[in-house]
Amino acid sequence: MIGFDTMDDDVYTYTAETLTPVSVCTIQRKDMLQILEQNSTVSLRLVEILNDELKQAKTLIRVLGHKSPIGKIATFILSLLPQRGAIPRELLLPLTREEVAEMVGLTEETVSRVMADLKRKGVIEAPRGYIRILDRNRIYSLAGISAPPIGLEGRFSFASAKL
């Protein structure tokens, strides 16, 4: 969700640019507030979504401060897993090494070195624009996360990362 940071601010503090095709639904603030007032189920779901976003943000802050470079990259790769549905054979990575570096708080050279090391060790393959996880248990271990049972990988979020 973008643009619903505070209940009383009519100014949008964020913009967004998509890296892949997306579907977008816009709702006017006054209409959203009316829906929330009239429907407790929607209100509770919104609180859950915002709570999840807050947990993810807090954990990401801790991840950036406490994990090793390889742990940061492993956590980042796992964050690419879809939250619902089947796990694809290839994970789309529409980011440059520089953009990944900015996201995880490393230099571009460190990201390149860590990715090369993960490829050399057979943990991932990384054809241009994609990542394939070859050693599921190892990537979770490097991220400091217990691997979920097969089929539940998409349940991962930064909020589930152990620190």
Side-chain angles (χ1 to χ4, degrees):
M1 286 187 31
I2 297 174
F4 204 69
D5 322 346
T6 64
M7 299 290 281
D8 57 351
D9 194 356
D10 289 334
V11 177
Y12 297 109
T13 55
Y14 301 101
T15 61
E17 182 177 335
T18 67
L19 300 172
T20 61
V22 298
S23 296
V24 177
C25 174
T26 61
I27 302 173
Q28 295 294 318
R29 179 177 300 277
K30 65 179 178 52
D31 295 333
M32 184 65 173
L33 291 174
Q34 185 177 10
I35 291 167
L36 294 174
E37 286 175 4
Q38 296 173 356
N39 190 321
S40 62
T41 304
V42 174
S43 296
L44 288 173
R45 182 65 184 124
L46 179 63
V47 168
E48 288 173 5
I49 290 168
L50 294 174
N51 187 55
D52 287 346
E53 287 182 8
L54 180 60
K55 282 194 295 188
Q56 235 175 318
K58 285 179 176 180
T59 303
L60 182 55
I61 290 167
R62 287 191 305 266
V63 164
L64 292 176
H66 293 96
K67 285 198 176 188
S68 67
I70 199 162
K72 290 178 183 183
I73 296 297
T75 301
F76 168 77
I77 291 169
L78 290 173
S79 77
L80 299 174
L81 292 172
Q83 293 299 307
R84 292 184 177 85
I87 303 301
R89 178 166 157 60
E90 294 183 324
L91 302 171
L92 185 62
L93 181 60
L95 304 169
T96 65
R97 297 272 196 254
E98 180 181 8
E99 291 166 330
V100 172
E102 288 175 11
M103 289 180 70
V104 298
L106 298 171
T107 64
E108 186 176 350
E109 294 77 18
T110 300
V111 169
S112 294
R113 189 179 70 250
V114 169
M115 295 289 280
D117 190 42
L118 290 172
K119 287 189 269 187
R120 208 173 19 262
K121 291 178 178 175
V123 178
I124 63 168
E125 284 181 351
R128 186 177 271 313
Y130 294 91
I131 290 183
R132 288 185 204 109
I133 298 173
L134 303 176
D135 188 337
R136 172 186 175 278
N137 290 330
R138 179 90 170 134
I139 194 86
Y140 276 94
S141 175
L142 291 169
I145 301 165
S146 298
I150 302 241
L152 295 180
E153 288 93 340
R155 305 287 187 260
F156 171 81
S157 70
F158 277 110
S160 67
K162 289 182 187 172
L163 301 171

